[in-house]
Amino acid sequence: MKTITKKQELAAEVASLKAQGKTIGFVPTMGALHDGHMALVGRAVQENRCCVMSVFDNPTQFNNATDLEKYPRNLQRDEEKLRAAGVAILFAPTPEEMYEPEEMAHPFAFDFGGLDQVMEGKYRPGHFNGVVQVVSKLFTLVQPRKAYFGEKDFQQLAIIHRMVRLMHFPVEIVDCPIVREASGLALSSRNERLSDEQRKKAVRISEVLRESRNFAPAKPVKEVAQWVVDAINAVDGLQVEYYEIVDAATLQAVDQWEGHCVGCVTVYCGDVRLIDNIRYC
Ligand code: PAF
């Protein structure tokens, strides 16, 4: 595996792969790799002639400087995992390599069609501008045939699909299911920051989401949503930031069980912000 930090060097590698007729599968990440990331990598390695990964803590998608600072990092451990998994190229640039100073100064403009006005977008203003900014740059540099994203970041995935449509990227987005611990806790780099006690409490998030499926569609959407919030908040140390039951395509809150409905939750476990989601129908 080659680790590359300069975009010019990456461009030369990509040109050489293309000249050899090798198709590229791409997995963008912010590092602190766990088994959820490795499931994406496993698919990308299996389904493409060549797998390219990126590890880049993108500063423009963090609306909170402390959150960026606390984000776990371990490039050396990530490199070992990726080498063992059969990744060909790891791209790990610095912010200065990715951005001109003026690009960091204002939010990246994109027509989200309202997808950024709800849930994560409401609580982390500018977050998705940064995501689209960096992923569009990475797609331009890596030129993948397929790119792999996890369904845990459900809203991000919907926005990436829209970005690919609007910007005409010739890339197939592969949606990959959430990977969970045996306890049900959704894997996340942020789980590293949970104490043992907090980890046990956080398991309740996925349990409650699963249990709530027993009530749908017999009970109204609003009642199920309130039950989820109350059941999670009943655990000392857990605090729901939002729980929304939304249409899977538009991400707008629904009041009827119609079409594909997904429940998306963000919960603070101490100062660790965890997200999860569940499909109802
Ligand atoms: O999901 C993530 O890890 C990030 O948002 C992404 C897609 C790598 C962009 O920085």
Side-chain angles (χ1 to χ4, degrees):
M1 184 180 80
K2 284 187 186 160
T3 300
I4 294 177
T5 56
K6 300 288 176 202
K7 50 184 187 284
Q8 267 189 347
E9 206 187 319
L10 176 65
E13 286 292 337
V14 167
S16 151
L17 290 170
K18 298 248 156 180
Q20 295 168 61
K22 291 191 178 168
T23 53
I24 297 172
F26 178 48
V27 186
T29 75
M30 298 201 301
L33 302 179
H34 52 65
D35 287 352
H37 295 116
M38 297 315 289
L40 309 184
V41 173
R43 276 192 73 172
V45 168
Q46 216 173 32
E47 296 177 4
N48 302 275
R49 291 282 302 283
C50 176
C51 174
V52 176
M53 286 281 301
S54 62
V55 167
F56 177 59
D57 289 342
N58 174 33
T60 67
Q61 71 186 76
F62 284 84
N63 58 324
N64 177 333
T66 324
D67 199 21
L68 174 61
E69 207 177 288
K70 285 188 179 164
Y71 197 83
R73 297 175 173 88
N74 196 332
L75 188 60
Q76 201 183 327
R77 198 181 61 189
D78 290 348
E79 276 185 293
E80 283 161 17
K81 286 187 180 182
L82 296 175
R83 190 169 291 114
V87 169
I89 296 174
L90 166 62
F91 181 50
T94 59
E96 294 70 29
E97 184 66 14
M98 286 300 280
Y99 296 117
E100 299 290 317
E102 63 270 26
E103 287 181 291
M104 312 265 281
H106 338 269
F108 181 77
F110 179 70
D111 173 7
F112 289 93
L115 295 180
D116 64 328
Q117 296 300 307
V118 293
M119 302 191 288
E120 290 300 282
K122 199 154 89 188
Y123 288 90
R124 301 178 71 189
H127 167 66
F128 289 117
N129 302 73
V131 170
V132 169
Q133 182 178 34
V134 76
V135 176
S136 59
K137 275 176 182 277
L138 289 166
F139 280 5
T140 303
L141 289 168
V142 177
Q143 299 177 39
R145 164 83 61 87
K146 292 184 177 186
Y148 298 77
F149 290 84
E151 287 179 342
K152 183 164 78 70
D153 295 297
F154 193 80
Q155 189 170 7
Q156 168 171 282
L157 195 46
I159 286 172
I160 297 292
H161 279 285
R162 180 175 170 88
M163 180 195 89
V164 164
R165 269 200 325 275
L166 265 59
M167 293 186 171
H168 302 259
F169 281 111
V171 54
E172 178 191 336
I173 301 301
V174 183
D175 302 3
C176 300
I178 300 179
V179 180
R180 297 181 182 279
E181 289 183 353
S183 67
L185 179 66
L187 296 191
S188 162
S189 306
R190 292 169 198 261
N191 293 355
E192 279 186 28
R193 295 185 45 228
L194 297 172
S195 67
D196 289 349
E197 199 193 336
Q198 282 178 320
R199 220 183 174 90
K200 280 188 201 138
K201 289 182 175 180
V203 168
R204 189 70 190 128
I205 302 167
S206 58
E207 276 176 6
V208 168
L209 292 183
R210 257 198 334 270
E211 284 167 33
S212 74
R213 281 168 88 164
N214 300 331
F215 308 135
K219 284 198 186 299
V221 172
K222 234 181 166 166
E223 257 179 58
V224 175
Q226 192 57 52
W227 181 84
V228 166
V229 172
D230 293 344
I232 296 176
N233 283 344
V235 180
D236 183 33
L238 296 185
Q239 184 64 51
V240 173
E241 184 168 53
Y242 66 80
Y243 183 59
E244 299 265 8
I245 299 177
V246 300
D247 177 273
T250 65
L251 302 185
Q252 302 308 305
V254 295
D255 51 16
Q256 304 288 332
W257 297 111
E258 274 170 9
H260 294 299
C261 298
V262 180
C264 299
V265 75
T266 290
V267 180
Y268 275 96
C269 183
D271 69 344
V272 185
R273 194 171 182 275
L274 301 172
I275 65 173
D276 201 346
N277 63 73
I278 193 148
R279 278 181 190 271
Y280 289 101
C281 44

